[in-house]
Amino acid sequence: MNRKLKNIFSKLIVLIFWAAVYQCISMAVGKELLLPDLRSVIQALVFEGTKVDFWLTVSFSILRVVAGFLSAVIFGTILAALCYRFRLCQIVFYPLISAIRSIPVASFIILALLWIKSGFVPAFIAFLMVLPLVWGNVYQGLSQTDKGLIEMADIFEFGAGKKLWLIYVPQCLPYFRTACVTGLGFAWKSAIAAEVISVPAMSIGRKLYESKIYIETPELFAWTLTVAVLSFFAENVMKLIFNKLRFKSEIEKAEQKEV
């Protein structure tokens, strides 16, 4: 059995173990209203999955998460570069980033409901929660750039674009990868939390809220499981993308050495 199959098999064993633990706890509680058994949750998930409304709801929630996440990645990266390049930007924006980090997400959601339409609140909250993470990691990556490489680039009169691509990007990529992978999880959690409070149409958060209001516990767990699966899938896709980029970079380096 190769390494990849062993990894898949081990993850499957862990999944079965925790499913069995959940089922045992559910049987011990013995109340479907409080903790439904695994079969009821799966049945509810399958039933919801047969509806067009389910896939539309999931799609709209994904769009909100992706919109907030990508906006934070782009804006956070640009802001980090500006703060690294200009000391004044660092002085001006650092208090704002610190405030975003320290203020509870529920406060931002409530305030956002006063400012913008409920349908845009989840994306806005995802943006706010991911922004400090991206900014902090990219800024740290830029700050940790090897000064010797920069001096060498100046000696050989590298242009700004060449210096950016050959020095800053490779140096910052590990920090950027960590920010994106971790930030995507934050985006999912914060966006769904915002949907639960703002209850926009066609959202997973609204389905969670309605399941709680109507005391439909299996449906509540089914939608929660949906969020967990989507978040897990998204993070692994992100890791795969960065692994491909790293692999491509290593191939290019090998080709350059051969030349």
Side-chain angles (χ1 to χ4, degrees):
M1 187 181 294
N2 60 38
R3 184 177 178 182
K4 188 174 182 180
L5 286 175
K6 285 182 178 179
N7 189 34
I8 294 173
F9 183 73
S10 62
K11 288 181 178 179
L12 184 62
I13 293 297
V14 171
L15 180 63
I16 293 172
F17 169 76
W18 284 112
V21 170
Y22 174 86
Q23 182 64 19
C24 290
I25 296 174
S26 176
M27 292 172 65
V29 173
K31 292 183 179 180
E32 188 81 2
L33 186 64
L34 296 178
L35 197 66
D37 61 38
L38 196 58
R39 185 179 63 179
S40 299
V41 174
I42 293 174
Q43 285 177 346
L45 183 59
V46 171
F47 177 73
E48 292 291 336
T50 58
K51 301 177 182 178
V52 176
D53 180 69
F54 173 86
W55 298 105
L56 288 174
T57 298
V58 169
S59 298
F60 275 99
S61 287
I62 290 175
L63 284 174
R64 293 184 183 102
V65 172
V66 171
F69 173 75
L70 290 180
S71 299
V73 169
I74 294 170
F75 187 75
T77 301
I78 294 172
L79 185 60
L82 290 173
C83 290
Y84 174 76
R85 181 66 179 82
F86 304 104
R87 177 65 178 171
L88 180 61
C89 288
Q90 166 75 358
I91 295 172
V92 171
F93 286 104
Y94 183 76
L96 176 63
I97 298 295
S98 298
I100 295 173
R101 282 173 173 166
S102 59
I103 296 174
V105 63
S107 299
F108 276 123
I109 296 171
I110 294 170
L111 289 171
L113 285 171
L114 299 176
W115 303 331
I116 56 181
K117 294 181 179 180
S118 61
F120 296 102
V121 170
F124 176 70
I125 295 301
F127 168 80
L128 284 181
M129 294 301 104
V130 177
L131 176 63
L133 189 62
V134 174
W135 177 87
N137 278 49
V138 174
Y139 182 81
Q140 184 181 4
L142 291 170
S143 301
Q144 296 296 324
T145 302
D146 190 341
K147 303 301 180 184
L149 292 176
I150 298 175
E151 291 176 1
M152 182 186 69
D154 291 335
I155 292 172
F156 286 97
E157 298 181 349
F158 280 13
K162 194 172 183 180
K163 189 186 296 184
L164 174 67
W165 185 250
L166 295 179
I167 298 177
Y168 286 109
V169 170
Q171 294 281 310
C172 289
L173 192 58
Y175 297 90
F176 183 72
R177 177 187 185 276
T178 301
C180 288
V181 173
T182 307
L184 192 55
F186 273 89
W188 270 104
K189 293 176 183 178
S190 57
I192 298 302
E195 286 182 348
V196 171
I197 296 176
S198 61
V199 289
M202 305 302 294
S203 67
I204 294 176
R206 187 184 187 94
K207 296 295 183 181
L208 288 168
Y209 180 78
E210 290 176 349
S211 298
K212 178 249 184 184
I213 290 295
Y214 298 117
I215 320 178
E216 297 173 337
T217 312
E219 285 74 11
L220 177 62
F221 275 76
W223 281 107
T224 303
L225 180 61
T226 300
V227 174
V229 170
L230 289 172
S231 180
F232 175 80
F233 178 76
E235 287 188 20
N236 278 274
V237 168
M238 184 67 65
K239 290 178 182 178
L240 181 63
I241 292 171
F242 278 103
N243 288 339
K244 291 290 185 182
L245 289 174
R246 184 175 62 182
F247 181 68
K248 183 178 179 181
S249 177
E250 289 174 354
I251 290 177
E252 290 173 349
K253 288 179 182 179
E255 289 176 346
Q256 288 175 0
K257 287 181 180 179
E258 289 178 1
V259 174

